[in-house]
């Protein structure tokens, strides 16, 4: 079995005898990794960046190393960096700014705007095909709260305090539901078996210590302390605590109107905001998230669909990923980010950009992308709609 490396061990390879950052070791590792795959973190580690890092204080140099640890430890990284605290986006802007622009395809100046005005009745999947009636539609936003470290650099105590702060919020924010904690000894602690049941329903996140991106970057440290999930009584609204971001605010709706899942998500988000929590925001980048891919809106919206023809019975998932990418979408397996697709080519499809677009545009892009993707699935089925993609 593949074993995961934790940040404190992994980072030692990039320190000198005195424990200071050794940039030559970092450079050598990026060069080695570049032969396999060039992540954005690798690409933007330029000689000019190295010069800037040399001018930073010792402690900021250590932070800079922490930011790169996910990329340095994983040869399959496409991004490879995580912020460790909200200020990283300013202190290390010479490195992170161009990377963010490339990922979100930003040209020129962009200041993040928010717009939750998403029409109900417009982005309706049955308009694409009348069989797309009961589709699993999901949307989430990533959020972190002002004044706290981001998950890669929280210590155990901070993780536990954060969880308890959220438990107070859940007690008062007005939507009926229940909190389930993974923290040993917590008053809401659930058993491993109950946790697995929640995973089988695709509600709860996976054991974070099995993902080397999360362990090597420190995101998974102190697992399972300070981790848990709040679930609404009707099981359509959820809040993850202590995964990649302090909070992942989620809505899952079975139906065909993409606007309805937004409505549900926005209701949940507003409920939390009214409780007085202030989220970490950047004047340009919008909401601050651990991974630069989520900056801006922090919103990821997806549907689960089957694409047996484009994927040739699930044997060619690369093809679906490629086609999706050409439409500004991302396709992944249903078991989470790095999971594989099944024989029916079941995939989770979402727009990639989350910064420089509004919440409303994310939904529009998903809908418009799906029209094209559906068309391509029909073509791959030789024009026979009966044999093709049933989004479920
Ligand atoms: N750090 C990983 C990589 O570079 C994940 C990037 C995007 N996904 C995420 N969950 N933030 O491939």
């Amino acid at each position: 079995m593949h074993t995961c490396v934790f940040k404190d061990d992994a980072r030692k390879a990039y320190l000198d005898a005195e424990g200071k950052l050794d940039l030559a070791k970092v450079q050598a590792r990026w060069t080695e990794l570049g032969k396999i795959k060039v992540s954005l973190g690798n690409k933007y580690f330029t000689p000019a960046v190295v010069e800037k890092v040399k001018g930073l204080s010792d402690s900021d140099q250590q932070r800079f190393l922490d930011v790169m640890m996910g990329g340095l430890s994983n040869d399959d990284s496409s991004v490879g960096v995580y912020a460790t605290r909200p200020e990283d986006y300013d202190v290390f802007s010479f490195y992170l700014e161009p990377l963010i622009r490339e990922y979100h395809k930003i040209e020129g100046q962009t200041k993040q705007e928010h717009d939750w005005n998403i029409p109900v009745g417009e982005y309706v999947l049955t308009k694409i095909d009348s069989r797309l009636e009961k589709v699993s539609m999901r949307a989430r936003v990533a959020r972190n709260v002002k004044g706290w470290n981001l998950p890669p650099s929280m210590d155990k105590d901070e993780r536990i305090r954060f969880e308890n702060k959220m438990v107070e919020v859940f007690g008062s924010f007005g939507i009926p539901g229940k909190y389930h904690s993974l923290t040993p000894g917590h008053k809401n602690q659930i058993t491993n078996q109950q946790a697995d049941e929640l995973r089988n329903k695709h509600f709860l996140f996976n054991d974070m210590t099995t993902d080397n991106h999360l362990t090597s970057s420190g995101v998974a440290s102190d697992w399972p302390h300070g981790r848990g999930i709040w679930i609404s009584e009707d099981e359509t609204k959820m809040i993850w605590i202590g995964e990649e971001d302090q909070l992942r605010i989620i809505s899952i709706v079975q139906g065909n109107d993409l606007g309805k899942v937004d409505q549900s998500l926005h209701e949940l988000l507003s409920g939390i905001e009214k409780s007085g929590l202030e989220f970490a925001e950047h004047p340009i980048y919008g909401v601050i998230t651990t991974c630069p891919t989520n900056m801006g809106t922090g919103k990821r919206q997806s549907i689960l669909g089957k694409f047996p023809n484009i994927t040739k019975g699930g044997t060619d998932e690369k093809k679906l990923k490629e086609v999706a990418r050409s439409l500004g979408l991302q396709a992944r397996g249903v078991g989470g980010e790095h999971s594989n697709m099944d024989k029916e080519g079941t995939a989770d499809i979402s727009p990639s950009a989350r910064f420089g677009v509004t919440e409303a545009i994310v939904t529009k892009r998903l809908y418009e992308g799906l029209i094209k993707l559906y068309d391509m699935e029909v073509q791959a089925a030789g024009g026979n709609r009966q044999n093709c993609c049933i989004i479920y």
Side-chain angles (χ1 to χ4, degrees):
M1 210 186 93
H2 180 79
T3 47
C4 290
V5 48
F6 280 85
K7 183 178 85 174
D8 289 348
D9 286 330
R11 68 197 306 291
K12 287 182 193 146
Y14 308 102
L15 303 176
D16 65 15
E18 291 168 43
K20 292 191 176 167
L21 174 64
D22 188 332
L23 286 163
K25 289 181 177 165
V26 173
Q27 180 61 68
R29 176 67 176 154
W30 282 134
T31 304
E32 184 190 343
L33 286 166
K35 291 177 194 150
I36 305 166
K37 182 171 176 181
V38 183
S39 63
L40 292 178
N42 192 348
K43 174 172 174 185
Y44 288 103
F45 189 81
T46 60
V49 164
V50 171
E51 282 315 303
K52 292 256 194 201
V53 175
K54 285 182 185 159
L56 296 174
S57 68
D58 279 355
S59 66
D60 278 343
Q61 290 194 7
Q62 297 287 347
R63 287 270 190 181
F64 188 75
L65 174 60
D66 286 341
V67 167
M68 298 182 295
M69 279 317 299
L72 291 171
S73 312
N74 294 282
D75 60 17
D76 64 343
S77 288
S78 41
V79 182
V81 300
Y82 294 101
T84 70
R85 52 178 174 168
E87 305 83 75
D88 286 357
Y89 287 104
D90 292 319
V91 180
F92 307 133
S93 65
F94 56 86
Y95 178 54
L96 297 176
E97 158 103 24
L99 185 155
I100 291 173
R101 289 186 171 278
E102 174 161 344
Y103 177 84
H104 296 276
K105 301 195 168 52
I106 305 282
E107 280 160 29
Q109 244 354 85
T110 299
K111 189 178 169 326
Q112 181 61 40
E113 309 276 346
H114 297 285
D115 173 14
W116 279 96
N117 223 327
I118 302 160
V120 165
E122 185 151 337
Y123 307 127
V124 176
L125 300 170
T126 42
K127 289 186 194 169
I128 304 178
D129 187 304
S130 60
R131 294 172 300 165
L132 304 180
E133 235 179 300
K134 238 183 171 336
V135 177
S136 177
M137 307 182 293
R138 11 189 99 201
R140 60 88 163 148
V141 287
R143 289 290 187 275
N144 293 282
V145 180
K146 213 172 152 179
W148 299 73
N149 281 305
L150 297 175
S153 68
M154 285 173 124
D155 64 15
K156 189 167 157 185
D157 178 62
E158 191 177 6
R159 293 184 202 277
I160 292 172
R161 280 188 295 115
F162 183 79
E163 179 184 29
N164 288 332
K165 184 185 170 67
M166 287 312 300
V167 172
E168 272 171 43
V169 171
F170 298 148
S172 67
F173 84 145
I175 303 175
K178 203 169 150 195
Y179 183 62
H180 309 267
S181 176
L182 301 180
T183 303
H186 192 280
K187 68 177 188 324
N188 300 101
Q189 190 188 357
I190 54 171
T191 62
N192 287 341
Q193 196 194 333
Q194 287 169 317
D196 281 340
E197 281 162 17
L198 293 177
R199 288 191 183 105
N200 290 339
K201 288 163 110 173
H202 298 292
F203 290 176
L204 180 62
F205 45 96
N206 293 330
D207 177 340
M208 294 164 75
T209 62
T210 62
D211 180 339
N212 201 55
H213 292 271
L214 300 181
T215 55
S216 59
S217 59
V219 172
S221 295
D222 310 307
W223 172 266
H225 294 270
R227 273 69 177 213
I229 181 173
W230 175 90
I231 305 175
S232 70
E233 230 162 50
D234 66 359
E235 302 195 330
T236 61
K237 295 179 172 68
M238 271 148 241
I239 301 169
W240 291 357
I241 299 191
E243 207 247 7
E244 188 179 298
D245 291 286
Q246 292 161 8
L247 299 172
R248 288 281 175 97
I249 299 162
I250 303 164
S251 181
I252 302 181
V253 176
Q254 311 294 324
N256 55 56
D257 186 342
L258 293 178
K260 291 216 171 133
V261 71
D262 287 290
Q263 216 173 32
S264 167
L265 177 62
H266 196 214
E267 193 189 333
L268 179 58
L269 180 62
S270 308
I272 300 171
E273 276 171 338
K274 272 191 225 115
S275 73
L277 276 193
E278 212 184 319
F279 296 128
E281 277 237 20
H282 188 277
I284 295 167
Y285 302 135
V287 302
I288 289 185
T289 54
T290 302
C291 184
T293 60
N294 288 316
M295 298 289 276
T297 56
K299 183 180 170 213
R300 176 174 188 281
Q301 183 162 7
S302 65
I303 56 94
L304 297 186
K306 294 179 187 174
F307 299 88
N309 296 289
I310 295 179
T311 61
K312 298 199 179 74
T315 58
D316 193 2
E317 61 175 68
K318 247 180 92 187
K319 181 73 190 170
L320 179 60
K321 288 186 176 170
E322 220 175 84
V323 170
R325 197 173 314 123
S326 73
L327 299 170
L329 302 172
Q330 192 196 52
R332 49 168 85 162
V334 289
E337 190 162 13
H338 301 106
S339 63
N340 291 330
M341 295 173 198
D342 59 16
K343 276 201 263 188
E344 294 178 296
T346 310
D348 170 296
I349 308 287
S350 63
S352 313
R354 332 214 202 279
F355 169 51
V357 288
T358 64
E359 289 77 3
I361 289 176
V362 173
T363 311
K364 184 170 190 274
R365 285 199 180 168
L366 175 60
Y367 183 70
E368 288 173 354
L370 283 173
I371 294 176
K372 292 189 185 136
L373 196 57
Y374 188 79
D375 232 31
M376 288 161 126
E377 172 68 11
V378 174
Q379 272 173 36
N384 182 353
R385 282 182 170 255
Q386 290 315 311
N387 286 345
C388 75
C389 153
I390 302 291
I391 300 177
Y392 73 95

